[in-house]
Amino acid sequence: MRLPGPAKALRAVEAVRAAKPLKAVRARLREPRSRRRAVQAAMLACVFALAPAGWMHAVADGRVRTVADAPARDVAVVFGAGLRDGGPTPYLAHRLDTAAELYRAGRVKVVLVTGDNSRTEYDEPDAMRAYLVEHGVPDRRIVSDYAGFDTWDSCVRAKKIFGVERALLVTQGFHVRRAVALCGSAGIEAYGVGVTEPRDVTWYYGAVREIFAAGKAAADAVTDRQPTFLGPAEPGVAEALAHARGGTVATGTGPATDAPDTGSAGPG
């Protein structure tokens, strides 16, 4: 076996030594490129994650008011926010207080309370109605939606089931833009009245939750998702408004008739 000469062996060793720095340089050049790609991917993910929130804020821009400067509308929509020992939670009570204030100020004529009644032992709308009556809103001016399982369902049902065209939406400040955006997508010309709350644990939880809820809201609006339960049209809002205006309600295309004393607008 013929061994390579000293010169050839030396050149081979030098070539190996020279190759090591080149490999290190190439590795260092590749590192920033892969890091840049990772940063770009993270930025793109952030854009997609925040886009729905940006949509909500853009749609609701200029449409969030206070009780003092809210435009007059026939209907206020109050979204459910949970029960405690059969009565409204503090956050829900604050929403109802604001709705009662809007009614007393003459900003609205009818209050549509929309919430969850999927179980017999859990009835948000009836608890909301009872609270409003206790706080001075006449029972015949309150309409109950028992299938408002989430914000989108409540908005779609307000439009399709109860015939609401324009409304004031009453909810906490961190939720009000989503409510305005979704009801707008459902076909309601809406303004939101944001309820101010102290920045406690519940508030921060709600604010963080809104970031994640924005994605679902955008998906619901884009896909025009059907509510959990739609059902036939209900005359509750028309009857309550008729009572507010003098006791007649238009039924279909026929002549106006005396408003009945039954239905979801309350017993009287």
Side-chain angles (χ1 to χ4, degrees):
M1 179 177 179
R2 187 177 177 181
L3 296 174
K8 288 183 179 179
L10 185 59
R11 283 197 295 272
V13 171
E14 289 175 349
V16 170
R17 287 176 179 171
K20 286 181 179 178
L22 286 174
K23 286 180 181 178
V25 169
R26 290 194 190 101
R28 282 196 295 271
L29 287 173
R30 281 195 297 268
E31 278 180 17
R33 191 179 304 165
S34 60
R35 199 174 295 127
R36 280 197 301 272
R37 286 174 181 165
V39 169
Q40 288 168 351
M43 290 176 65
L44 193 61
C46 288
V47 168
F48 279 113
L50 295 175
W55 162 72
M56 288 192 321
H57 280 262
V59 170
D61 186 43
R63 289 188 167 271
V64 178
R65 303 294 176 85
T66 64
V67 172
D69 65 0
R73 292 290 182 266
D74 283 345
V75 181
V77 179
V78 185
F79 299 88
L83 301 179
R84 181 180 297 171
D85 299 324
T89 60
Y91 267 39
L92 180 52
H94 297 163
R95 296 181 187 187
L96 296 166
D97 290 337
T98 301
E101 192 176 350
L102 286 167
Y103 177 80
R104 288 192 296 268
R107 301 284 180 179
V108 299
K109 298 181 178 71
V110 171
V111 180
L112 173 61
V113 292
T114 173
D116 186 352
N117 181 216
S118 57
R119 310 185 306 276
T120 23
E121 70 277 8
Y122 189 88
D123 191 339
E124 277 187 314
D126 276 0
M128 294 163 78
R129 176 190 288 274
Y131 186 96
L132 284 172
V133 170
E134 288 175 5
H135 289 76
V137 180
D139 191 73
R140 290 191 64 176
R141 302 294 182 86
I142 304 167
V143 181
S144 298
D145 174 14
Y146 294 95
F149 300 127
D150 61 21
T151 305
W152 174 251
D153 282 21
S154 294
C155 289
V156 174
R157 286 178 55 80
K159 170 70 175 179
K160 293 186 176 180
I161 303 302
F162 295 94
V164 175
E165 300 287 342
R166 304 196 307 165
L168 297 181
L169 313 178
V170 184
T171 184
Q172 268 68 32
F174 54 73
H175 174 233
V176 71
R177 287 172 178 78
R178 178 158 61 95
V180 170
L182 286 175
C183 280
S185 295
I188 298 173
E189 193 267 298
Y191 281 84
V193 179
V195 179
T196 304
E197 299 286 355
R199 302 295 178 91
D200 56 9
V201 174
T202 305
W203 188 94
Y204 282 108
Y205 169 79
V208 171
R209 181 178 177 274
E210 283 303 305
I211 297 173
F212 299 97
K216 178 181 179 298
D220 286 342
V222 168
T223 61
D224 194 22
R225 175 179 66 80
Q226 284 296 300
T228 305
F229 180 77
L230 199 56
E234 296 187 20
V237 169
E239 291 173 358
L241 285 173
H243 179 263
R245 291 166 180 160
T248 59
V249 56
T251 56
T253 56
T257 61
D258 288 340
D261 214 8
T262 60
S264 58

